[in-house]
Amino acid sequence: MSSTTARSRPSSNSRKPRLLLIGAGHAHLHLLHQRPLLSRFDITLVDPGAFWYSGLASGVLAGDHSPSTDRIDPAAICHAQGVSLVRARLCGLNTEARQALLSNGASLSFDRLGLNLGSAPALRSSDHQASGDKQTHWQIKPIPHLLRLRHSLERRFRRRQSVSVEILGAGASGVEIACAIEALGRRHQLAAGALTICLRHRGSGPLPEAPARARRYLLAALERRGILVVDSRHDRHCSASDIVDATGLGPPRGLERFGLPVVDGRGIAIDPSLKVQGTDGVFASGDCAALIDHPLPRLGVHGVRQGPVLAHNLIASLDPKAPLTSYRPPARALSIVNLGHGEALALYGNAWWGGRLASRLKHHLDLSFMQRTRNLL
Ligand SMILES: Cc1cc2nc3c(=O)[nH]c(=O)nc-3n(C[C@H](O)[C@H](O)[C@H](O)COP(=O)(O)OP(=O)(O)OC[C@H]3O[C@@H](n4cnc5c(N)ncnc54)[C@H](O)[C@@H]3O)c2cc1C
């Protein structure tokens, strides 16, 4: 890990500084829009796959959207913007030597580095206590896991096998997943009792931070869908065929191998300029990064809002006199929970509303985001 704190100029004046972006997350996709940045740097993006947008993930699970609606392959964007793409994972980092080691064996040098690596389920599948040997455990990140879950359920629905699903965790993701599976079952016109869905919480009920009336609205919506809400403190027995872990997201696995400072359980330690603490020219954004004094929920919206700050600071970092700007997280953010069947619950601080309008707004915001990002093509 580099201990230099002064901002340094790239070593040679004859070439553009090399900006290495690891991970095609929200903030890095934003950078690929930015002409001033594209013209100042020689940019390489490293990602093993594609960008999957979590806002549309429950719609994909419910069968409302095709997987291609939810996915952006960075290859076409990179090609159009003159950015090199390497399909690989970051496996090692030497910030002193400014070298990144990739899973394909390549070692790339950089002058500036961006890390936008996302997050991983906080629990490993092996952490779950299975009460049956025929249980299948599903994780909700990366998002393609939810597509695999949909295909697995659909195979069994077509064979008219009965299925029981337990969702562990009744936050926004758990609620969305329960409702999406119910909507998928409805789409397959299952016989009564063929699909059981149970949403487990640890005593505080679904969406514990939502206003009390919004929670009552939600409980009524879950009941109408036949989704059982269970308090794990009173009922620990679980005999479901499928268990979905929606208990929360944590930092990407194996962060420690990069030798960067981390905030325990939260991610790579960054200051408000998104610069990794104690490094020179290394930035981190989105779910993988932890603002030292300001814990944030893992939401795509922070990655989106950090994009412009990151773009500005990467350029400013080339000039030792240019001030860096700070990311100021919003005090509250709009969150719209998809309940399926064209219904959603919108939450903004203490304000909330539920119904078709909320669902239409979510649909509009999600599809506009994807459209804006794809318009680079
Ligand atoms: C079911 C579900 C629904 C959600 N709904 C919402 C919602 O409605 N609104 C909201 O704001 N948030 C939502 N979230 C949270 C949201 O998914 C995350 O906060 C968001 O995806 C984080 O974005 P990011 O830009 O940090 O990383 P991501 O968008 O996850 O991108 C990370 C990228 O890094 C790449 N990567 C990872 N490791 C490496 C490596 N070693 N080398 C190279 N590349 C790597 C990955 O391939 C990926 O492309 C939801 C989450 C889930 C699970």
Side-chain angles (χ1 to χ4, degrees):
M1 186 181 81
S2 165
S3 56
T4 322
T5 49
R7 273 181 270 158
S8 59
R9 284 179 190 281
S11 48
S12 158
N13 291 329
S14 59
R15 63 163 175 86
K16 283 187 190 176
R18 278 180 295 237
L19 169 59
L20 183 58
L21 300 175
I22 311 282
H26 294 73
H28 283 179
L29 284 183
H30 172 86
L31 299 185
L32 304 184
H33 279 277
Q34 305 307 309
R35 281 273 138 230
L37 187 93
L38 293 164
S39 63
R40 299 288 278 280
F41 286 99
D42 177 1
I43 306 179
T44 300
L45 174 69
V46 174
D47 193 292
F51 171 77
W52 287 82
Y53 180 52
S54 55
L56 289 171
S58 59
V60 172
L61 177 59
D64 295 337
H65 300 301
S66 67
S68 60
T69 314
D70 194 16
R71 181 178 184 273
I72 295 179
D73 184 345
I77 300 176
C78 287
H79 180 71
Q81 304 293 68
V83 168
S84 310
L85 173 69
V86 179
R87 301 253 194 218
R89 302 187 75 81
L90 177 72
C91 349
L93 198 55
N94 184 337
T95 51
E96 297 278 4
R98 300 200 162 258
Q99 292 282 329
L101 182 66
L102 307 187
S103 53
N104 61 5
S107 174
L108 296 186
S109 59
F110 58 84
D111 299 298
R112 299 291 179 271
L113 176 70
L115 298 163
N116 186 187
L117 308 171
S119 47
L123 280 180
R124 291 168 188 271
S125 344
S126 54
D127 296 336
H128 294 295
Q129 286 184 347
S131 55
D133 51 5
K134 293 234 166 104
Q135 286 177 332
T136 309
H137 288 262
W138 301 94
Q139 294 191 320
I140 60 174
K141 266 241 156 159
I143 299 297
H145 285 212
L146 293 179
L147 185 59
R148 271 179 236 139
L149 170 61
R150 168 177 149 189
H151 291 151
S152 166
L153 291 171
E154 285 185 310
R155 264 195 306 278
R156 286 173 282 162
F157 291 164
R158 280 194 288 271
R159 290 185 206 133
R160 299 286 152 200
Q161 279 175 270
S162 58
V163 176
S164 52
V165 187
E166 292 238 355
I167 294 105
L168 307 181
S173 306
V175 168
E176 282 205 342
I177 285 163
C179 293
I181 293 174
E182 189 274 335
L184 185 68
R186 194 84 70 94
R187 189 179 281 277
H188 284 256
Q189 300 179 328
L190 302 180
L195 172 63
T196 314
I197 304 169
C198 175
L199 182 63
R200 277 185 183 270
H201 61 90
R202 281 217 202 101
S204 40
L207 298 188
E209 274 141 41
R213 284 168 141 212
R215 300 180 67 202
R216 283 202 287 280
Y217 175 93
L218 174 64
L219 284 175
L222 294 171
E223 195 177 335
R224 279 199 303 282
R225 287 158 177 73
I227 296 170
L228 302 168
V229 177
V230 172
D231 183 342
S232 285
R233 292 172 315 165
H234 305 310
D235 179 356
R236 297 178 70 82
H237 179 71
C238 172
S239 56
S241 56
D242 297 75
I243 315 257
V244 183
D245 171 17
T247 53
L249 299 172
R253 304 257 155 80
L255 263 192
E256 54 294 338
R257 70 188 186 278
F258 300 142
L260 297 169
V262 293
V263 182
D264 206 21
R266 286 179 47 213
I268 302 167
I270 55 168
D271 67 23
S273 72
L274 310 180
K275 197 157 72 66
V276 177
Q277 221 186 18
T279 66
D280 179 25
V282 179
F283 294 82
S285 55
D287 277 9
C288 72
L291 271 176
I292 294 153
D293 299 325
H294 197 136
L296 293 174
R298 288 181 209 279
L299 286 174
V301 68
H302 292 297
V304 171
R305 287 172 183 243
Q306 287 171 352
V309 176
L310 182 59
H312 176 278
N313 288 347
L314 280 165
I315 294 174
S317 73
L318 297 175
D319 175 356
K321 290 197 199 107
L324 300 187
T325 188
S326 293
Y327 176 59
R328 299 193 198 289
R332 59 184 84 88
L334 175 68
S335 151
I336 308 183
V337 183
N338 181 10
L339 303 178
H341 306 289
E343 192 183 353
L345 174 61
L347 300 156
Y348 185 72
N350 286 326
W352 69 278
W353 75 101
R356 298 206 158 267
L357 195 59
S359 173
R360 282 214 286 273
L361 177 61
K362 176 170 175 55
H363 194 72
H364 169 73
L365 294 174
D366 288 340
L367 293 182
S368 313
F369 172 81
M370 292 300 272
Q371 191 57 42
R372 270 199 312 281
T373 310
R374 283 201 175 95
N375 271 349
L376 292 168
L377 303 179

